[in-house]
Amino acid sequence: MAATATGELLVAGSEGELVLLSVPTGSAPTGATSRDVARAAAVEFSETTTEIPDDDAELETHLVVTDGTRTWEADDLATVTAADATDPTWLRIQAALNKARAESE
């Protein structure tokens, strides 16, 4: 679970999916039902995840990098040099960095 800078909640599910929870502008909270659903999602997330060991030097091996359609392996990210405007920001940044590195060699 993580909160974005805009106050939305990012939740990872047990199947590896990510859900961005946000409240549309102008909407009013629905009370207990919303809290119960949010609480159930948080409890399920907490019960189905584990912490990364403190002594693990390879933290990146625990990450699953995805754009919601494809899962990216470390080798893919090290070699990607092109991305579309519709690709996630993290992928566009990685592609730009890789392209700049390749051009400077």
Side-chain angles (χ1 to χ4, degrees):
M1 242 184 308
T4 67
T6 57
E8 296 157 323
L9 181 63
L10 182 64
V11 179
S14 62
E15 298 295 317
E17 70 277 3
L18 292 176
V19 177
L20 182 63
L21 303 173
S22 63
V23 178
T25 305
S27 66
T30 59
T33 303
S34 293
R35 284 191 300 277
D36 292 343
V37 170
R39 184 175 293 115
V43 167
E44 179 184 0
F45 176 78
S46 295
E47 290 176 348
T48 59
T49 58
T50 58
E51 292 186 27
I52 297 172
D54 289 337
D55 60 346
D56 193 335
E58 300 291 327
L59 294 177
E60 290 81 18
T61 62
H62 297 279
L63 298 177
V64 176
V65 182
T66 182
D67 62 3
T69 304
R70 177 178 176 196
T71 300
W72 294 81
E73 299 298 328
D75 291 341
D76 296 336
L77 293 177
T79 59
V80 65
T81 57
D84 296 329
T86 58
D87 287 325
T89 303
W90 60 263
L91 181 57
R92 290 182 284 161
I93 292 170
Q94 186 66 53
L97 289 171
N98 290 347
K99 184 176 180 181
R101 283 187 196 113
E103 291 173 353
S104 69
E105 293 178 351

